[in-house]
Short mmCIF file of all heavy atoms in Angstrom, two decimals:
data_model
loop_
_atom_site.label_atom_id
_atom_site.label_comp_id
_atom_site.label_asym_id
_atom_site.label_seq_id
_atom_site.Cartn_x
_atom_site.Cartn_y
_atom_site.Cartn_z
N PHE N 428 7.02 -4.23 -148.22
CA PHE N 428 7.02 -3.39 -147.04
C PHE N 428 6.08 -4.00 -146.01
O PHE N 428 4.90 -4.20 -146.30
CB PHE N 428 6.51 -2.00 -147.46
CG PHE N 428 6.34 -0.97 -146.38
CD1 PHE N 428 7.40 -0.13 -146.04
CD2 PHE N 428 5.13 -0.81 -145.73
CE1 PHE N 428 7.23 0.87 -145.07
CE2 PHE N 428 4.96 0.18 -144.76
CZ PHE N 428 6.02 1.01 -144.44
N GLY N 429 6.60 -4.34 -144.85
CA GLY N 429 5.77 -5.00 -143.85
C GLY N 429 5.55 -4.14 -142.62
O GLY N 429 6.45 -4.00 -141.78
N LEU N 430 4.36 -3.56 -142.53
CA LEU N 430 4.00 -2.79 -141.34
C LEU N 430 2.72 -3.36 -140.72
O LEU N 430 2.69 -3.73 -139.54
CB LEU N 430 3.79 -1.30 -141.71
CG LEU N 430 3.31 -0.40 -140.57
CD1 LEU N 430 4.36 -0.29 -139.47
CD2 LEU N 430 2.96 1.00 -141.09
N THR N 431 1.66 -3.46 -141.56
CA THR N 431 0.36 -3.93 -141.07
C THR N 431 0.44 -5.36 -140.55
O THR N 431 1.13 -6.20 -141.13
CB THR N 431 -0.67 -3.84 -142.21
OG1 THR N 431 -0.79 -2.48 -142.59
CG2 THR N 431 -2.02 -4.39 -141.79
N GLU N 432 -0.28 -5.61 -139.48
CA GLU N 432 -0.34 -6.96 -138.92
C GLU N 432 -1.78 -7.45 -138.91
O GLU N 432 -2.71 -6.65 -139.05
CB GLU N 432 0.24 -6.94 -137.50
CG GLU N 432 1.69 -6.47 -137.48
CD GLU N 432 2.36 -6.64 -136.14
OE1 GLU N 432 1.66 -6.93 -135.15
OE2 GLU N 432 3.59 -6.48 -136.10
N PRO N 433 -1.98 -8.75 -138.71
CA PRO N 433 -3.35 -9.28 -138.73
C PRO N 433 -4.27 -8.52 -137.77
O PRO N 433 -5.42 -8.25 -138.10
CB PRO N 433 -3.18 -10.74 -138.30
CG PRO N 433 -1.79 -11.10 -138.74
CD PRO N 433 -0.98 -9.84 -138.59
N ASP N 434 -3.76 -8.14 -136.63
CA ASP N 434 -4.62 -7.48 -135.64
C ASP N 434 -4.36 -5.98 -135.49
O ASP N 434 -4.99 -5.31 -134.67
CB ASP N 434 -4.45 -8.16 -134.27
CG ASP N 434 -4.97 -9.60 -134.29
OD1 ASP N 434 -5.98 -9.83 -134.99
OD2 ASP N 434 -4.34 -10.46 -133.66
N PHE N 435 -3.42 -5.47 -136.28
CA PHE N 435 -3.11 -4.03 -136.17
C PHE N 435 -2.97 -3.40 -137.54
O PHE N 435 -1.92 -3.49 -138.18
CB PHE N 435 -1.85 -3.82 -135.31
CG PHE N 435 -2.07 -4.25 -133.89
CD1 PHE N 435 -1.68 -5.51 -133.47
CD2 PHE N 435 -2.73 -3.42 -132.99
CE1 PHE N 435 -1.93 -5.94 -132.16
CE2 PHE N 435 -2.98 -3.84 -131.68
CZ PHE N 435 -2.57 -5.10 -131.27
N GLY N 436 -4.06 -2.80 -137.99
CA GLY N 436 -4.08 -2.14 -139.29
C GLY N 436 -4.00 -0.64 -139.14
O GLY N 436 -2.94 -0.03 -139.29
N SER N 437 -5.12 -0.04 -138.72
CA SER N 437 -5.14 1.41 -138.53
C SER N 437 -4.29 1.84 -137.34
O SER N 437 -3.93 3.01 -137.21
CB SER N 437 -6.58 1.89 -138.33
OG SER N 437 -7.34 1.65 -139.50
N ASN N 438 -3.98 0.89 -136.49
CA ASN N 438 -3.24 1.20 -135.25
C ASN N 438 -1.90 0.48 -135.24
O ASN N 438 -1.67 -0.40 -134.43
CB ASN N 438 -4.13 0.76 -134.06
CG ASN N 438 -3.46 1.00 -132.72
OD1 ASN N 438 -2.51 1.80 -132.62
ND2 ASN N 438 -3.94 0.32 -131.69
N PRO N 439 -1.00 0.86 -136.13
CA PRO N 439 0.26 0.09 -136.25
C PRO N 439 1.18 0.23 -135.05
O PRO N 439 2.04 -0.61 -134.82
CB PRO N 439 0.90 0.68 -137.51
CG PRO N 439 0.37 2.07 -137.60
CD PRO N 439 -1.03 2.00 -137.05
N GLY N 440 0.97 1.28 -134.27
CA GLY N 440 1.85 1.52 -133.12
C GLY N 440 1.78 0.39 -132.09
O GLY N 440 2.70 0.20 -131.29
N SER N 441 0.68 -0.38 -132.10
CA SER N 441 0.55 -1.49 -131.16
C SER N 441 1.06 -2.80 -131.74
O SER N 441 0.71 -3.87 -131.24
CB SER N 441 -0.93 -1.64 -130.77
OG SER N 441 -1.37 -0.47 -130.12
N MET N 442 1.83 -2.75 -132.77
CA MET N 442 2.31 -3.96 -133.44
C MET N 442 2.91 -4.96 -132.46
O MET N 442 3.48 -4.59 -131.43
CB MET N 442 3.35 -3.62 -134.52
CG MET N 442 4.65 -3.07 -133.97
SD MET N 442 5.92 -2.89 -135.24
CE MET N 442 5.27 -1.64 -136.29
N ILE N 443 2.77 -6.24 -132.84
CA ILE N 443 3.28 -7.31 -131.99
C ILE N 443 4.70 -7.73 -132.41
O ILE N 443 5.50 -8.16 -131.57
CB ILE N 443 2.32 -8.53 -132.06
CG1 ILE N 443 0.99 -8.15 -131.40
CG2 ILE N 443 2.93 -9.76 -131.39
CD1 ILE N 443 -0.12 -9.16 -131.61
N THR N 444 5.00 -7.61 -133.68
CA THR N 444 6.30 -8.09 -134.19
C THR N 444 7.46 -7.46 -133.41
O THR N 444 7.52 -6.24 -133.22
CB THR N 444 6.42 -7.80 -135.69
OG1 THR N 444 5.31 -8.39 -136.35
CG2 THR N 444 7.71 -8.36 -136.27
N ARG N 445 8.35 -8.33 -132.99
CA ARG N 445 9.48 -7.90 -132.15
C ARG N 445 10.82 -8.26 -132.79
O ARG N 445 10.94 -9.30 -133.45
CB ARG N 445 9.43 -8.62 -130.79
CG ARG N 445 8.25 -8.26 -129.91
CD ARG N 445 8.47 -6.89 -129.24
NE ARG N 445 7.40 -6.55 -128.33
CZ ARG N 445 6.24 -5.99 -128.70
NH1 ARG N 445 6.00 -5.74 -129.98
NH2 ARG N 445 5.33 -5.69 -127.81
N ALA N 446 11.80 -7.42 -132.53
CA ALA N 446 13.19 -7.75 -132.88
C ALA N 446 13.98 -7.79 -131.57
O ALA N 446 13.75 -6.98 -130.67
CB ALA N 446 13.77 -6.69 -133.80
N GLU N 447 14.87 -8.74 -131.51
CA GLU N 447 15.66 -8.88 -130.28
C GLU N 447 17.12 -8.95 -130.67
O GLU N 447 17.49 -9.68 -131.59
CB GLU N 447 15.23 -10.19 -129.58
CG GLU N 447 15.83 -10.39 -128.22
CD GLU N 447 15.56 -11.83 -127.72
OE1 GLU N 447 14.67 -12.50 -128.28
OE2 GLU N 447 16.27 -12.27 -126.81
N LYS N 448 17.94 -8.17 -129.99
CA LYS N 448 19.39 -8.19 -130.28
C LYS N 448 19.98 -9.47 -129.71
O LYS N 448 19.81 -9.75 -128.52
CB LYS N 448 20.03 -6.97 -129.64
CG LYS N 448 21.51 -6.83 -129.91
CD LYS N 448 21.78 -6.29 -131.31
CE LYS N 448 23.26 -6.34 -131.65
NZ LYS N 448 23.79 -7.69 -131.95
N VAL N 449 20.60 -10.23 -130.59
CA VAL N 449 21.26 -11.46 -130.14
C VAL N 449 22.67 -11.49 -130.74
O VAL N 449 23.00 -10.63 -131.57
CB VAL N 449 20.48 -12.73 -130.60
CG1 VAL N 449 19.13 -12.82 -129.90
CG2 VAL N 449 20.32 -12.75 -132.11
N ASP N 450 23.44 -12.46 -130.38
CA ASP N 450 24.77 -12.60 -130.98
C ASP N 450 24.61 -12.79 -132.49
O ASP N 450 23.84 -13.63 -132.92
CB ASP N 450 25.50 -13.83 -130.40
CG ASP N 450 26.14 -13.50 -129.06
OD1 ASP N 450 26.16 -12.28 -128.73
OD2 ASP N 450 26.57 -14.43 -128.36
N GLY N 451 25.29 -12.00 -133.27
CA GLY N 451 25.26 -12.18 -134.72
C GLY N 451 24.13 -11.46 -135.41
O GLY N 451 23.94 -11.62 -136.61
N GLY N 452 23.34 -10.68 -134.68
CA GLY N 452 22.30 -9.90 -135.38
C GLY N 452 21.04 -9.70 -134.59
O GLY N 452 21.08 -9.46 -133.37
N TYR N 453 19.91 -9.77 -135.30
CA TYR N 453 18.61 -9.56 -134.66
C TYR N 453 17.72 -10.76 -134.94
O TYR N 453 17.70 -11.29 -136.06
CB TYR N 453 17.94 -8.30 -135.22
CG TYR N 453 18.73 -7.04 -134.95
CD1 TYR N 453 19.59 -6.51 -135.93
CD2 TYR N 453 18.64 -6.39 -133.72
CE1 TYR N 453 20.33 -5.37 -135.68
CE2 TYR N 453 19.38 -5.24 -133.46
CZ TYR N 453 20.23 -4.74 -134.45
OH TYR N 453 20.96 -3.62 -134.21
N LEU N 454 16.97 -11.13 -133.91
CA LEU N 454 16.02 -12.24 -134.04
C LEU N 454 14.63 -11.63 -134.16
O LEU N 454 14.20 -10.87 -133.28
CB LEU N 454 16.12 -13.12 -132.79
CG LEU N 454 15.67 -14.56 -132.92
CD1 LEU N 454 16.47 -15.31 -133.98
CD2 LEU N 454 15.83 -15.27 -131.55
N ILE N 455 13.94 -11.94 -135.27
CA ILE N 455 12.62 -11.34 -135.50
C ILE N 455 11.53 -12.40 -135.35
O ILE N 455 11.65 -13.50 -135.89
CB ILE N 455 12.56 -10.66 -136.89
CG1 ILE N 455 13.60 -9.54 -136.92
CG2 ILE N 455 11.16 -10.11 -137.17
CD1 ILE N 455 13.63 -8.74 -138.19
N ASN N 456 10.48 -12.01 -134.60
CA ASN N 456 9.31 -12.88 -134.44
C ASN N 456 8.05 -12.06 -134.64
O ASN N 456 7.96 -10.92 -134.15
CB ASN N 456 9.29 -13.50 -133.04
CG ASN N 456 10.16 -14.76 -132.99
OD1 ASN N 456 9.82 -15.79 -133.56
ND2 ASN N 456 11.31 -14.62 -132.31
N GLY N 457 7.09 -12.64 -135.36
CA GLY N 457 5.82 -11.94 -135.56
C GLY N 457 5.27 -12.23 -136.94
O GLY N 457 5.75 -13.11 -137.65
N ALA N 458 4.23 -11.48 -137.32
CA ALA N 458 3.61 -11.70 -138.63
C ALA N 458 3.08 -10.39 -139.18
O ALA N 458 2.62 -9.51 -138.43
CB ALA N 458 2.48 -12.72 -138.52
N LYS N 459 3.17 -10.25 -140.49
CA LYS N 459 2.64 -9.06 -141.18
C LYS N 459 1.59 -9.53 -142.18
O LYS N 459 1.67 -10.66 -142.69
CB LYS N 459 3.79 -8.34 -141.90
CG LYS N 459 4.90 -7.85 -140.97
CD LYS N 459 4.42 -6.72 -140.10
CE LYS N 459 5.51 -6.24 -139.14
NZ LYS N 459 5.02 -5.13 -138.28
N MET N 460 0.65 -8.66 -142.47
CA MET N 460 -0.43 -9.08 -143.37
C MET N 460 -0.74 -7.99 -144.38
O MET N 460 -0.45 -6.82 -144.15
CB MET N 460 -1.68 -9.40 -142.54
CG MET N 460 -2.56 -10.41 -143.23
SD MET N 460 -3.86 -10.98 -142.13
CE MET N 460 -4.77 -11.98 -143.28
N TRP N 461 -1.36 -8.39 -145.51
CA TRP N 461 -1.74 -7.48 -146.60
C TRP N 461 -0.51 -6.83 -147.21
O TRP N 461 -0.45 -5.63 -147.41
CB TRP N 461 -2.72 -6.40 -146.11
CG TRP N 461 -3.92 -6.97 -145.43
CD1 TRP N 461 -4.30 -6.77 -144.14
CD2 TRP N 461 -4.89 -7.85 -146.01
NE1 TRP N 461 -5.45 -7.48 -143.86
CE2 TRP N 461 -5.83 -8.15 -144.99
CE3 TRP N 461 -5.05 -8.44 -147.27
CZ2 TRP N 461 -6.92 -9.00 -145.21
CZ3 TRP N 461 -6.14 -9.28 -147.47
CH2 TRP N 461 -7.06 -9.54 -146.45
N ILE N 462 0.49 -7.68 -147.50
CA ILE N 462 1.76 -7.15 -147.99
C ILE N 462 1.85 -7.34 -149.50
O ILE N 462 2.05 -8.47 -149.99
CB ILE N 462 2.95 -7.86 -147.29
CG1 ILE N 462 2.77 -7.85 -145.77
CG2 ILE N 462 4.27 -7.19 -147.71
CD1 ILE N 462 2.56 -6.49 -145.14
N THR N 463 1.73 -6.24 -150.23
CA THR N 463 1.86 -6.29 -151.69
C THR N 463 3.27 -6.75 -152.06
O THR N 463 4.25 -6.26 -151.48
CB THR N 463 1.59 -4.89 -152.29
OG1 THR N 463 0.25 -4.53 -151.96
CG2 THR N 463 1.76 -4.89 -153.80
N ASN N 464 3.35 -7.69 -153.00
CA ASN N 464 4.62 -8.23 -153.51
C ASN N 464 5.35 -9.15 -152.53
O ASN N 464 6.48 -9.57 -152.81
CB ASN N 464 5.61 -7.13 -153.94
CG ASN N 464 5.10 -6.31 -155.11
OD1 ASN N 464 4.11 -6.67 -155.74
ND2 ASN N 464 5.77 -5.21 -155.40
N GLY N 465 4.74 -9.44 -151.37
CA GLY N 465 5.45 -10.20 -150.34
C GLY N 465 6.06 -11.50 -150.85
O GLY N 465 7.26 -11.75 -150.66
N THR N 466 5.26 -12.31 -151.51
CA THR N 466 5.72 -13.64 -151.93
C THR N 466 6.84 -13.57 -152.96
O THR N 466 7.70 -14.45 -153.03
CB THR N 466 4.52 -14.44 -152.51
OG1 THR N 466 3.44 -14.34 -151.58
CG2 THR N 466 4.86 -15.88 -152.74
N ILE N 467 6.84 -12.52 -153.76
CA ILE N 467 7.81 -12.44 -154.86
C ILE N 467 9.01 -11.55 -154.52
O ILE N 467 9.91 -11.40 -155.32
CB ILE N 467 7.14 -11.90 -156.15
CG1 ILE N 467 6.52 -10.53 -155.89
CG2 ILE N 467 6.10 -12.89 -156.65
CD1 ILE N 467 6.01 -9.84 -157.15
N ALA N 468 8.99 -10.98 -153.30
CA ALA N 468 10.03 -10.00 -152.98
C ALA N 468 11.36 -10.66 -152.64
O ALA N 468 11.41 -11.72 -152.01
CB ALA N 468 9.57 -9.14 -151.81
N ASP N 469 12.43 -10.02 -153.07
CA ASP N 469 13.78 -10.45 -152.69
C ASP N 469 14.17 -9.87 -151.34
O ASP N 469 15.03 -10.38 -150.66
CB ASP N 469 14.80 -9.99 -153.74
CG ASP N 469 14.48 -10.55 -155.10
OD1 ASP N 469 14.61 -11.77 -155.27
OD2 ASP N 469 14.04 -9.79 -155.99
N VAL N 470 13.53 -8.74 -151.01
CA VAL N 470 13.85 -8.10 -149.73
C VAL N 470 12.59 -7.46 -149.17
O VAL N 470 11.80 -6.87 -149.90
CB VAL N 470 14.98 -7.05 -149.90
CG1 VAL N 470 14.58 -5.92 -150.83
CG2 VAL N 470 15.43 -6.49 -148.55
N ALA N 471 12.41 -7.65 -147.85
CA ALA N 471 11.26 -7.04 -147.17
C ALA N 471 11.77 -5.97 -146.21
O ALA N 471 12.70 -6.21 -145.45
CB ALA N 471 10.49 -8.12 -146.41
N VAL N 472 11.18 -4.77 -146.31
CA VAL N 472 11.43 -3.74 -145.30
C VAL N 472 10.42 -4.00 -144.18
O VAL N 472 9.22 -3.81 -144.37
CB VAL N 472 11.25 -2.33 -145.88
CG1 VAL N 472 11.37 -1.27 -144.79
CG2 VAL N 472 12.26 -2.08 -147.00
N VAL N 473 10.92 -4.52 -143.07
CA VAL N 473 10.02 -4.99 -142.00
C VAL N 473 10.14 -4.06 -140.79
O VAL N 473 11.25 -3.70 -140.38
CB VAL N 473 10.38 -6.44 -141.59
CG1 VAL N 473 9.52 -6.89 -140.43
CG2 VAL N 473 10.22 -7.37 -142.79
N TRP N 474 8.99 -3.70 -140.26
CA TRP N 474 8.97 -2.83 -139.08
C TRP N 474 8.66 -3.67 -137.86
O TRP N 474 7.67 -4.39 -137.82
CB TRP N 474 7.96 -1.70 -139.29
CG TRP N 474 8.33 -0.91 -140.51
CD1 TRP N 474 7.89 -1.12 -141.77
CD2 TRP N 474 9.28 0.16 -140.57
NE1 TRP N 474 8.51 -0.24 -142.65
CE2 TRP N 474 9.35 0.57 -141.93
CE3 TRP N 474 10.07 0.83 -139.64
CZ2 TRP N 474 10.19 1.60 -142.36
CZ3 TRP N 474 10.89 1.87 -140.07
CH2 TRP N 474 10.95 2.23 -141.42
N ALA N 475 9.56 -3.58 -136.86
CA ALA N 475 9.40 -4.39 -135.66
C ALA N 475 9.88 -3.57 -134.46
O ALA N 475 10.69 -2.65 -134.60
CB ALA N 475 10.21 -5.68 -135.79
N LYS N 476 9.38 -3.93 -133.28
CA LYS N 476 9.80 -3.20 -132.08
C LYS N 476 11.08 -3.79 -131.52
O LYS N 476 11.16 -5.00 -131.24
CB LYS N 476 8.69 -3.23 -131.03
CG LYS N 476 7.60 -2.20 -131.32
CD LYS N 476 6.59 -2.11 -130.21
CE LYS N 476 5.55 -1.05 -130.55
NZ LYS N 476 4.35 -1.18 -129.69
N LEU N 477 12.07 -2.93 -131.36
CA LEU N 477 13.34 -3.32 -130.75
C LEU N 477 13.45 -2.51 -129.45
O LEU N 477 13.47 -1.27 -129.50
CB LEU N 477 14.50 -2.98 -131.70
CG LEU N 477 15.92 -3.23 -131.18
CD1 LEU N 477 16.20 -4.72 -131.00
CD2 LEU N 477 16.96 -2.61 -132.12
N ASP N 478 13.46 -3.19 -128.35
CA ASP N 478 13.45 -2.51 -127.04
C ASP N 478 12.31 -1.49 -126.97
O ASP N 478 12.51 -0.35 -126.50
CB ASP N 478 14.81 -1.81 -126.79
CG ASP N 478 15.97 -2.81 -126.80
OD1 ASP N 478 15.75 -3.96 -126.37
OD2 ASP N 478 17.06 -2.43 -127.28
#
Side-chain angles (χ1 to χ4, degrees):
Chain N
F428 177 90
L430 176 65
T431 297
E432 300 189 350
D434 294 324
F435 295 96
S437 295
N438 179 19
S441 298
M442 67 172 66
I443 292 170
T444 304
R445 293 283 183 276
E447 187 191 343
K448 182 78 188 74
V449 293
D450 278 351
Y453 298 97
L454 204 59
I455 298 182
N456 276 290
K459 300 291 178 180
M460 208 170 174
W461 306 118
I462 310 305
T463 299
N464 296 349
T466 311
I467 58 172
D469 300 291
V470 62
V472 174
V473 176
W474 301 92
K476 280 187 179 165
L477 176 68
D478 300 326

